[in-house]
Amino acid sequence: MEELRIQYVNLELQGNHESHYTQGFSSKTLVVRRGAPFKITLLLKGRAFNPHTDTLMFRILLGRLYAEFPVTFSKQGSPSRWSAYFTPKGLNPNSPSLYISSPASSSIGRYSVQLHVLTQHGQKGYVVGDFVLLCNPWCSEDAVYIPFEDQREEYVNNDSGLLYMGTPKNLESRPWSFDQYEPEILDICLKLLQVSPQHGRNLQKDYLGHSDPIYLSRVVSAMINCEDDRGVLRGNWSGDFKNGVNPSKWTGSADILRQWAKSKFSPVMYGQCWVFAAVMCTVMRALGIPSRVITNFNSAHDTNGNLVIEEFYSETGKKLPHSKDSIWNFHVWVECWMTRPDLGAGFDGWQVLDPTPQERSGGIFCCGPAPVKAIRDRRVDLVYDIPFVYAEVNADVHTVIVKRGQVLSSSTDTERVGSLIVTQTIGSPRPQNITGNYKPTKAAMSLHRSKSATFSGESTHKRGSTRGLSVSLSLLKVPVAGENITFTVMVTNTDSIPKVLREHVNAQTKKYNRSPSGTFWEVHNVVRIAPHEAKVIHHLIDHAQYESLMGDDLVNLAVVMEDEFTQERVLASEEFNITSPQLSIQIADEDSVMLHKEHTALVVFCNTFSVPVSGLLTVTGSGLIKGEMHSRIQLFKPGCTMERSFSFIPRMVGKKMLQATLVLKNNSAKIVGYRMISVKSA
């Protein structure tokens, strides 16, 4: 009798990738999700398979962990164990098909597969190859199961999105390519787990931990920064990026992760909060854990844990760098969806994870997972890092006017910190206001969208008051690069006597995470106001006075109104960003963009600045363009329009983001644009 031999094992890549929602990852490696069966077909040589005398036995290995199981004729295997069964639609003895099923609590990672054929004449072993196992948010038994298909599409499958920056009154949307389907990226994300200190200390314990999204998320949160390990990114908030890349110039995660892997896991320079968060979102989506990027506007960093942030101003309205506490105009972190069996079902769902290195958690620089529900309920007794995140969204702001060390006046604002928390709306470029998930809110702020910016005119002023005098500061319109900044100061005398006031108005540039630097514009006036009069004072800052200072900087604008008779002082202040002009992208035959066909994109920019500009235009697009395309833009005058054409050949179906970035030579502003393109199969 001829010997039973296996000639070839067909891993059924296309069918398995479709049924496991992993089509984008690889055309050469089997990528499947835990808790769901995947199909393989054997091509036999020598003789046919005899189910009465022959047995097939699988052995799958992850590091030193392994499982052995036979192929049976029953689908009813234990859900907590690996199993395999022949296809129920009839057995082809010359080329049998079978399904392998993993528990929904399996460790994720790259497995190797061996197959042993047992016959009456002995046994023979074969190396089948490797496959990658990921978390499965489509499986109700998986700890990362998320119930709605549109959520899975957005928070797992989507490989691009918008990050929100700026200020609550003028949200800036920055396109980002998560790139989880780009070549090599999934392998690098898996390698990140192996480079972690936990893996180095105890391989077996670490591999077992890869079954648990709580454990995985803490490992990834620590590995995105390099403070304690061979992590991906080094943070830099100094403003000096000469030995690396300015964080504002990154447009996607693939370049960062590839550079990290290519350098044998030396940190990539540099990242700031939105870069750390976006790269972590890429890794978590690649591993199959639903993830989204969150922006907290006016985010407190409370160093002494008293839930009070102190800010100091001079008597002429200049903000002073006297406090160890700080408020970042925005801070960006990640939410991941998972159950919390360690805390109870009431804390399942979205969890805050923050890879930006700020505070140590369990001795290392990571943060979370902190249940959003626990933050809202102030359950500071629960793990992980809830007190720190709670302070980021809830601290009070104590504002003090000082002169030569003496306090002249003070006020407290209980609503500014965490005043707006947003993420991208599913299937839309609009921001979704999720502030109410984190804290009780009096009323949700209205978000009025205008192109890539959001501006709420209702809330553009800040008020200050003392006995007999109130002052408010109000921007008249969204500040746009190349245009003058116009604003008003309204002062109201609530007393029955006239007043002589000194008005001090001060404008300083600032980074989103630091106190302002020097004053670039100021004005001082004497104001006479009658009893019960409300007076509006108009001010204008010429664009030439701030244009060279901008880039990613913001403006701190403050007015101090001083009563000459009583010496009382009232402060009103506002921090705002300047909206940069945008690139527009036009696609020829936009409704008929087909896979593997050449198409053309036209990038257009109108120079709204008051001076000629030149620079480098870069176009990227995950699934649309391999690498980057560049075009040098020669000097062109104010009011003139620049156009450049680029061709691209889509290699993935679905909604894809085409990005364009213009870095100007003689101007610190960064000009961006994007277009979502729906690619159809040919």
Side-chain angles (χ1 to χ4, degrees):
M1 191 181 205
E2 282 192 87
E3 187 182 353
L4 173 62
R5 287 174 291 163
I6 295 175
Q7 182 177 347
Y8 175 69
V9 178
N10 181 357
L11 296 179
E12 305 282 2
L13 294 184
Q14 184 175 347
N16 284 324
H17 287 168
E18 285 179 8
S19 62
H20 284 252
Y21 309 97
T22 56
Q23 300 98 310
F25 281 115
S26 174
S27 58
K28 297 177 182 177
T29 302
L30 177 62
V31 182
V32 292
R33 299 189 186 278
R34 63 189 189 180
F38 61 92
K39 181 180 180 182
I40 67 173
T41 301
L42 310 178
L43 181 61
L44 305 182
K45 192 177 181 182
R47 67 170 174 84
F49 176 75
N50 183 343
H52 301 294
T53 60
D54 303 328
T55 301
L56 300 179
M57 182 74 73
F58 278 98
R59 180 182 173 99
I60 59 107
L61 301 99
L62 179 65
R64 294 175 187 169
L65 302 179
Y66 68 92
E68 290 182 332
F69 47 94
V71 185
T72 69
F73 284 87
S74 171
K75 288 177 66 175
Q76 307 305 318
S78 168
S80 62
R81 294 183 178 178
W82 287 81
S83 60
Y85 57 90
F86 288 108
T87 177
K89 291 185 178 178
L91 180 68
N92 179 347
N94 294 306
S95 183
S97 291
L98 55 95
Y99 289 89
I100 296 175
S101 192
S102 62
S105 58
S106 300
S107 292
I108 65 168
R110 182 179 292 277
Y111 286 78
S112 58
V113 186
Q114 299 170 0
L115 175 59
H116 295 270
V117 181
L118 287 71
T119 68
Q120 291 174 319
H121 304 288
Q123 67 169 301
K124 186 173 178 61
Y126 298 86
V127 175
V128 174
D130 293 349
F131 70 92
V132 172
L133 188 69
L134 303 176
C135 294
N136 191 352
W138 283 263
C139 173
S140 60
E141 304 304 312
D142 198 307
V144 302
Y145 172 69
I146 192 166
F148 299 109
E149 183 57 32
D150 62 344
Q151 294 174 320
R152 295 189 286 261
E153 187 60 37
E154 183 71 42
Y155 303 136
V156 182
N157 287 344
N158 201 345
D159 62 354
S160 65
L162 298 176
L163 315 179
Y164 297 102
M165 302 160 81
T167 53
K169 297 86 186 171
N170 188 15
L171 270 64
E172 231 177 76
S173 56
R174 181 167 294 189
W176 189 271
S177 189
F178 294 115
D179 294 330
Q180 67 264 39
Y181 302 119
E182 286 293 293
E184 308 169 76
I185 297 305
L186 177 58
D187 287 339
I188 294 169
C189 293
L190 293 171
K191 191 69 179 174
L192 178 147
L193 300 178
Q194 293 182 308
V195 175
S196 73
Q198 291 89 333
H199 192 78
R201 280 194 296 268
N202 188 328
L203 265 69
Q204 187 151 337
K205 184 179 178 183
D206 182 59
Y207 276 131
L208 287 168
H210 290 185
S211 65
D212 180 7
I214 300 170
Y215 177 87
L216 285 167
S217 64
R218 280 185 69 76
V219 170
V220 174
S221 174
M223 282 298 297
I224 298 299
N225 69 70
C226 67
E227 296 303 310
D228 311 287
D229 43 45
R230 299 159 70 195
V232 177
L233 280 158
R234 185 176 300 284
N236 184 344
W237 288 267
S238 71
D240 178 5
F241 308 114
K242 63 173 180 263
N243 295 319
V245 175
N246 182 329
S248 293
K249 292 188 178 178
W250 297 116
T251 59
S253 300
D255 286 347
I256 295 168
L257 289 167
R258 285 192 185 118
Q259 186 177 322
W260 177 67
K262 193 175 180 182
S263 70
K264 297 182 179 174
F265 315 113
S266 296
V268 176
M269 300 184 288
Y270 294 104
Q272 291 184 6
C273 64
W274 69 92
V275 184
F276 286 110
V279 174
M280 181 167 183
C281 187
T282 295
V283 175
M284 300 307 274
R285 287 187 184 183
L287 299 180
I289 300 173
S291 302
R292 60 187 188 180
V293 179
I294 307 298
T295 303
N296 176 37
F297 287 96
N298 296 329
S299 188
H301 192 163
D302 180 21
T303 56
N304 59 8
N306 66 351
L307 292 177
V308 174
I309 306 295
E310 290 185 310
E311 292 189 334
F312 296 90
Y313 282 83
S314 74
E315 76 275 18
T316 57
K318 183 176 181 179
K319 196 171 187 181
L320 304 170
H322 288 354
S323 180
K324 290 182 180 178
D325 295 335
S326 61
I327 298 175
W328 292 16
N329 291 92
F330 61 87
H331 181 48
V332 183
W333 58 64
V334 176
E335 284 180 0
C336 295
W337 182 277
M338 64 190 74
T339 60
R340 290 301 300 268
D342 57 327
L343 302 180
F347 300 102
D348 294 347
W350 290 116
Q351 315 284 319
V352 170
L353 287 140
D354 190 350
T356 299
Q358 297 179 90
E359 300 282 338
R360 292 187 185 275
S361 172
I364 58 173
F365 278 101
C366 70
C367 179
V372 172
K373 292 174 185 174
I375 296 162
R376 193 181 196 279
D377 295 342
R378 201 177 180 181
R379 288 296 305 275
V380 294
D381 55 312
L382 302 178
V383 291
Y384 294 89
D385 308 306
I386 293 164
F388 181 74
V389 183
Y390 181 86
E392 287 184 300
V393 301
N394 280 293
D396 293 342
V397 184
H398 189 56
T399 303
V400 183
I401 302 176
V402 295
K403 182 178 182 181
R404 298 191 195 97
Q406 182 183 353
V407 174
L408 302 179
S409 73
S410 64
S411 61
T412 300
D413 185 341
T414 60
E415 296 180 12
R416 180 167 146 209
V417 166
S419 59
L420 179 65
I421 305 170
V422 299
T423 190
Q424 185 173 352
T425 300
I426 291 176
S428 164
R430 292 193 306 275
Q432 178 188 354
N433 184 348
I434 59 168
T435 314
N437 293 357
Y438 282 81
K439 56 198 289 190
T441 54
K442 290 182 180 177
M445 288 179 66
S446 60
L447 296 177
H448 306 293
R449 187 172 176 276
S450 130
K451 291 192 178 175
S452 74
T454 301
F455 182 76
S456 174
E458 285 286 312
S459 56
T460 57
H461 57 270
K462 291 286 173 69
R463 299 179 183 277
S465 63
T466 186
R467 189 178 55 203
L469 195 65
S470 70
V471 179
S472 66
L473 180 66
S474 182
L475 294 169
L476 295 181
K477 62 184 295 257
V478 178
V480 177
E483 297 181 6
N484 299 332
I485 299 170
T486 54
F487 64 97
T488 60
V489 173
M490 176 180 278
V491 55
T492 305
N493 180 6
T494 57
D495 273 349
S496 54
I497 57 171
K499 294 180 185 290
V500 178
L501 309 172
R502 289 193 180 275
E503 180 198 38
H504 308 282
V505 191
N506 190 295
Q508 301 161 270
T509 56
K510 74 180 295 289
K511 303 293 182 188
Y512 74 96
N513 66 321
R514 288 212 300 273
S515 293
S517 51
T519 299
F520 71 87
W521 178 90
E522 62 184 320
V523 68
H524 306 276
N525 295 310
V526 174
V527 178
R528 289 178 168 80
I529 187 166
H532 304 293
E533 181 186 4
K535 182 168 280 191
V536 177
I537 306 159
H538 288 262
H539 292 286
L540 179 148
I541 303 175
D542 191 274
H543 62 84
Q545 293 181 275
Y546 73 82
E547 216 165 66
S548 63
L549 306 168
M550 282 296 105
D552 291 320
D553 287 356
L554 295 93
V555 174
N556 186 88
L557 184 64
V559 56
V560 171
M561 208 60 86
E562 175 188 353
D563 187 323
E564 282 199 342
F565 179 71
T566 66
Q567 300 294 295
E568 287 183 307
R569 291 169 175 84
V570 183
L571 171 86
S573 66
E574 181 68 88
E575 291 185 346
F576 58 89
N577 51 310
I578 308 291
T579 299
S580 293
Q582 281 188 291
L583 298 171
S584 86
I585 303 175
Q586 300 161 18
I587 309 295
D589 302 319
E590 189 169 18
D591 295 331
S592 55
V593 176
M594 309 293 284
L595 188 68
H596 304 313
K597 304 282 185 185
E598 187 170 346
H599 300 275
T600 302
L602 181 69
V603 181
V604 181
F605 173 61
C606 178
N607 180 11
T608 59
F609 295 105
S610 59
V611 294
V613 295
S614 63
L616 181 67
L617 179 65
T618 302
V619 177
T620 60
S622 181
L624 299 171
I625 295 170
K626 285 187 177 179
E628 299 177 339
M629 302 173 78
H630 300 282
S631 177
R632 293 219 163 271
I633 307 301
Q634 301 302 324
L635 208 64
F636 66 108
K637 296 177 180 177
C640 292
T641 299
M642 171 279 298
E643 295 184 353
R644 288 291 185 278
S645 290
F646 294 87
S647 62
F648 63 96
I649 302 174
R651 62 183 191 277
M652 287 180 67
V653 297
K655 276 206 173 294
K656 298 294 159 190
M657 176 186 281
L658 190 66
Q659 280 193 65
T661 306
L662 177 58
V663 177
L664 299 177
K665 215 176 201 178
N666 53 340
N667 189 306
S668 56
K670 182 186 173 191
I671 318 300
V672 299
Y674 74 95
R675 188 90 177 184
M676 298 306 298
I677 299 172
S678 186
V679 180
K680 301 176 178 68
S681 54

